[in-house]
């Protein structure tokens, strides 16, 4: 975290010094905001709002600027999550017939922003992000700030307007939900890549048996097509294999990439992205498949083949 802000003797130097310090903290602030909001664009907005608050604040006595900014970003994100809930624009995944996937962080492809890689430097996969979407705003804040960024409960309690003890309980409850709902996953990316390649090959070839062989019997598949396209939640190898064959066009021009640090696929048609697929692989089989097909959100990722 940051060292104490120096008491600059020149008023002209202080804005430049604050800007330098803020830029040094920006990668962590973006990572916090992405985990809180699941949206790259909204995370950027939250970080920018933190800069505006910093530029308007007297922080001469702040001894740890990084910690101060982290809690500011947390408060901004908490307000956004509460606003979502009050508007009911974004129901929890798999409730009310709606599946909402977080923005994927894609690397290894032309057009992918290399700066976004820092968002998932510790391999926060799409499967975990999906689980975070199911937490209440307060639970998500307590879990993200404490468990992922080691912010003390006293600081989180101030943001939430709660006691440190109740904030600790929030984090504990969120931790149990995350641990209970996050699927187990293999850590060997080379092996996972082989499994994803086998899935692509079987999909392109319309090989139902080969698809079933690479899918776990209890595999879960989610597809988020945006507000104008019905979301899809499917379970079971046979049904998902049949669907993969029906939509073989998504695999026809599929490119192997990293999605949140793990092997995934981006599919294109006429130079524009059709889908981003992320996979959870355990014991050599696909246990979870998350597919973003929302054209508006895909366009915002700026991906090109």
């Amino acid at each position: 975290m940051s060292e104490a802000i120096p008491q600059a003797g020149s008023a002209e130097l202080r804005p430049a010094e604050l800007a330098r310090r803020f830029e040094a903290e920006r990668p962590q602030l973006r990572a916090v905001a992405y985990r809180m909001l699941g949206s790259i664009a909204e995370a950027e907005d939250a970080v920018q709002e933190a800069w505006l608050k910093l530029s308007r604040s007297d922080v001469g006595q702040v001894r740890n600027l990084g910690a101060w900014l982290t809690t500011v970003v947390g408060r901004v994100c908490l307000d956004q999550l509460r606003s979502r809930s009050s508007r009911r624009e974004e129901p929890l995944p798999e409730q009310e017939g709606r599946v909402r996937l977080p923005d994927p962080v894609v690397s290894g492809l032309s057009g992918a922003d290399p700066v976004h890689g820092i968002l998932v430097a510790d391999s926060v996969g799409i499967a975990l992000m999906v689980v975070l979407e199911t937490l209440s705003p307060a639970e998500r804040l307590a879990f993200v700030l404490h468990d992922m960024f080691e912010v003390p409960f006293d600081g989180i309690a101030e943001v939430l307007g709660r006691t440190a003890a109740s904030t600790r309980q929030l984090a504990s409850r969120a931790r149990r939900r995350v641990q209970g709902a996050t699927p187990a996953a293999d850590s060997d990316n080379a092996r996972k890549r082989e499994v994803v390649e086998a899935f692509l090959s079987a999909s392109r070839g319309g090989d139902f048996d080969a698809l079933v062989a690479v899918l776990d019997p209890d595999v879960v598949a989610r597809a988020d097509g945006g507000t104008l396209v019905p979301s899809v939640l499917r379970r079971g190898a046979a049904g998902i294999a049949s669907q993969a064959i029906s939509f073989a066009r998504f695999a026809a021009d599929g490119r192997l990439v990293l999605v949140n640090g793990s092997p995934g696929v981006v599919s294109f048609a006429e130079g524009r992205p059709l889908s981003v697929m992320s996979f959870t692989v355990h014991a050599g089989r696909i246990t979870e498949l998350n597919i973003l097909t929302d054209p508006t959100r895909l366009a915002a990722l700026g991906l090109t083949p």
Side-chain angles (χ1 to χ4, degrees):
M1 289 284 187
S2 305
E3 68 272 26
I5 300 174
Q7 300 301 301
S10 168
E12 288 77 20
L13 292 177
R14 185 171 179 184
E17 175 67 11
L18 283 179
R20 183 187 71 80
R21 295 291 185 85
F22 182 82
E23 288 306 315
E25 300 295 338
R26 185 185 289 272
Q28 170 158 304
L29 301 179
R30 296 171 79 236
V32 171
Y34 173 68
R35 285 155 180 73
M36 282 293 298
L37 300 172
S39 164
I40 294 173
E42 289 181 5
E44 294 289 357
D45 290 343
V47 172
Q48 185 61 24
E49 186 168 342
W51 163 248
L52 294 176
K53 289 181 181 294
L54 174 64
S55 64
R56 296 193 298 260
S57 300
D58 179 6
V59 291
Q61 301 305 312
V62 174
R63 298 196 58 81
N64 190 325
L65 184 61
W68 186 86
L69 286 169
T70 296
T71 56
V72 168
V73 167
R75 183 177 284 109
V76 171
C77 293
L78 180 66
D79 290 343
Q80 289 197 36
L81 290 176
R82 286 172 170 169
S83 178
R84 285 182 188 175
S85 298
S86 64
R87 295 194 309 266
R88 298 186 63 81
E89 290 180 356
E90 300 187 35
L92 296 180
E94 304 176 19
Q95 293 183 6
E96 302 180 18
R98 177 82 169 90
V99 173
R100 185 191 186 279
L101 297 178
D103 285 350
V105 179
V106 179
S107 55
L109 188 69
S110 176
D113 187 348
V115 176
H116 288 164
I118 194 65
L119 297 179
V120 289
D122 53 355
S123 299
V124 177
I126 291 292
L128 174 57
M129 294 294 293
V130 168
V131 178
L132 293 181
E133 291 279 344
T134 69
L135 302 178
S136 72
E139 288 174 336
R140 190 165 184 171
L141 179 78
F143 178 80
V144 168
L145 291 191
H146 181 265
D147 285 43
M148 294 184 169
F149 295 95
E150 300 181 344
V151 176
F153 284 120
D154 288 345
I156 304 170
E158 184 178 346
V159 175
L160 291 172
R162 297 172 179 248
T163 65
S166 66
T167 301
R168 187 186 300 272
Q169 291 175 346
L170 272 177
S172 178
R173 184 163 66 241
R175 190 179 307 118
R176 289 194 299 270
R177 292 182 61 184
V178 168
Q179 292 173 347
T182 305
D186 296 343
S187 59
D188 185 347
N189 264 7
R191 176 56 183 148
K192 287 190 285 188
R193 181 186 177 97
E194 293 176 0
V195 174
V196 173
E197 287 177 332
F199 175 87
L200 267 182
S201 177
S203 297
R204 288 166 175 159
D207 190 334
F208 179 83
D209 291 337
L211 277 169
V212 170
V214 80
L215 295 171
D216 185 87
D218 298 319
V219 61
V220 175
R222 303 178 186 86
D224 180 354
T227 57
L228 300 180
V229 179
S231 302
V232 175
L233 174 65
R234 294 182 183 276
R235 301 179 187 274
I240 292 171
S242 298
Q243 192 73 7
I245 291 174
S246 300
F247 292 93
R249 64 190 180 93
F250 286 106
D253 192 14
R255 312 295 177 90
L256 283 167
V257 296
L258 291 179
V259 179
N260 287 54
S262 187
V265 175
V266 176
S267 299
F268 292 91
E270 299 178 351
R272 65 179 181 84
L274 285 178
S275 68
V276 175
M277 292 184 280
S278 68
F279 300 80
T280 300
V281 177
H282 180 59
R285 287 188 170 186
I286 297 167
T287 59
E288 188 168 298
L289 175 59
N290 292 300
I291 312 168
L292 180 65
T293 60
D294 182 346
T296 301
R297 293 173 62 197
L298 288 174
L301 296 178
L303 304 175
T304 55

